[in-house]
């Protein structure tokens, strides 16, 4: 690595004596970038013994996916930023891995504590698919975390089916009314009617005059 740095500095100095016709400046920048990425791949806590030729045959997207699969999220993020690629996917995959690694039978307060830790990182990035994260949290039986992610989702129509699946009828009805769409409201009411006893149905729906 020290030899590479020395050679890069020498080339950097040497190019000042050459014209654009004599020296491919873009190629020089690309090689420097490739060497920096390769060095990081080879010397991090989870090194990948990859040759320059193997690296050159990897599309940037494939390289990021490879790092994500090995849970090397930090390096995936650093390379994404370095190459000007979107980092949203890296953050989402990191969040899912974090949720999956949590032990079973956490208390509600423990789940919320973990959610706050995850969300603190996610809040730095725009475009996060919170509905996707909510579904993953429910899949791994982290309901409190899933509910919190669901609350962050902006699309009402995306959230309603999830609240129906959780049988959180009050929330599903409230959101349905917010759409001012009679078809959506009817769908939620119909689902409650088919899922609950007559008495429970009356008790749930009677709280909302607009459901009449």
């Amino acid at each position: 690595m020290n030899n590479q740095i020395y050679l890069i500095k020498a080339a950097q100095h040497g190019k000042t004596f050459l014209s654009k016709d004599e020296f491919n400046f873009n190629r020089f920048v690309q090689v420097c970038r490739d060497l920096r990425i390769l060095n990081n791949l080879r010397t991090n806590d989870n090194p990948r013994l990859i040759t320059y030729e193997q690296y050159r045959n990897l599309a940037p997207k494939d390289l990021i996916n490879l790092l994500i699969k090995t849970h090397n999220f930090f390096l995936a993020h650093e390379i994404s930023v370095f190459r000007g690629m979107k980092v949203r996917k890296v953050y989402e995959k990191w969040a899912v891995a974090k949720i999956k690694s949590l032990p079973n039978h956490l208390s509600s307060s423990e789940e919320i504590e973990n959610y706050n830790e995850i969300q603190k990182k996610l809040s730095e990035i725009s475009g996060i698919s919170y509905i996707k994260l909510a579904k993953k949290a429910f899949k791994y039986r982290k309901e409190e975390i899933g509910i919190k992610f669901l609350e962050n989702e902006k699309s009402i129509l995306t959230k309603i089916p999830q609240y129906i699946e959780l049988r959180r009828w009050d929330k599903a009805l409230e959101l349905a009314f917010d759409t001012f769409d009679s078809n959506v409201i009817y769908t939620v009411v119909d689902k409650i009617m088919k899922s609950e006893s007559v008495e429970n149905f009356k008790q749930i729906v009677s709280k909302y005059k607009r459901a009449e």
Side-chain angles (χ1 to χ4, degrees):
M1 183 174 177
N2 289 332
N3 289 336
Q4 288 178 1
I5 293 174
Y6 178 79
L7 290 172
I8 288 172
K9 287 182 177 179
Q12 180 75 22
H13 176 71
K15 76 176 187 177
T16 60
F17 301 100
L18 300 171
S19 66
K20 291 183 179 179
D21 295 331
E22 297 173 303
F23 187 84
N24 188 331
F25 292 93
N26 290 332
R27 173 66 177 158
F28 172 75
V29 171
Q30 183 61 50
V31 170
C32 290
R33 179 180 294 171
D34 289 344
L35 288 175
R36 183 174 175 184
I37 291 173
L38 271 173
N39 285 332
N40 277 281
L41 285 170
R42 292 167 177 167
T43 59
N44 65 84
D45 293 335
N46 186 20
R48 300 199 64 82
L49 302 179
I50 182 173
T51 66
Y52 183 73
E53 190 62 30
Q54 289 172 326
Y55 165 77
R56 292 292 293 162
N57 289 330
L58 271 176
K61 182 179 178 181
D62 293 332
L63 175 61
I64 298 303
N65 287 336
L66 184 64
L67 291 170
I68 288 174
K69 284 181 180 179
T70 57
H71 287 193
N72 196 336
F73 299 107
F74 176 77
L75 189 54
H77 171 267
E78 292 299 294
I79 292 176
S80 296
V81 172
F82 191 58
R83 284 188 168 274
M85 300 168 66
K86 293 181 179 179
V87 297
R88 175 179 55 80
K89 180 180 178 180
V90 178
Y91 275 73
E92 288 178 354
K93 292 292 185 179
W94 166 79
V96 171
K98 177 75 173 176
I99 294 167
K100 187 177 180 180
S101 68
L102 293 175
N104 296 325
H105 310 301
L106 290 177
S107 66
S108 295
S109 60
E110 288 173 328
E111 282 199 34
I112 296 300
E113 184 178 342
N114 279 282
Y115 162 79
N116 289 334
E117 179 186 339
I118 295 170
Q119 180 55 23
K120 184 177 180 180
K121 289 289 186 183
L122 297 182
S123 63
E124 301 172 2
I125 304 299
S126 61
I128 294 293
S129 176
Y130 285 105
I131 189 67
K132 183 188 297 184
L133 296 180
K135 288 179 179 180
K136 289 293 185 179
F138 294 138
K139 177 182 177 181
Y140 298 122
R141 299 182 179 180
K142 301 296 182 290
E143 188 165 309
E144 292 297 332
I145 294 177
I147 290 296
K148 296 297 288 184
F149 279 136
L150 201 53
E151 290 173 356
N152 283 332
E153 176 60 39
K154 293 181 180 179
S155 171
I156 291 178
L157 293 178
T158 301
K159 292 198 285 189
I160 289 174
Q162 291 303 307
Y163 282 116
I164 288 175
E165 189 172 332
L166 293 169
R167 302 173 76 93
R168 296 206 172 198
W169 306 124
D170 287 337
K171 193 65 179 178
L173 276 172
E174 289 169 6
L175 291 175
F177 292 134
D178 287 342
T179 68
F180 297 98
D181 187 327
S182 58
N183 290 325
V184 175
I185 298 170
Y186 174 80
T187 299
V188 175
V189 172
D190 183 63
K191 191 68 178 179
I192 299 172
M193 184 169 59
K194 291 178 179 178
S195 303
E196 299 288 344
S197 66
V198 174
E199 290 304 316
N200 284 346
F201 172 77
K202 289 180 180 178
Q203 185 177 4
I204 294 166
V205 178
S206 63
K207 292 183 287 184
Y208 303 91
K209 293 183 178 181
R210 288 182 291 177
E212 294 177 3

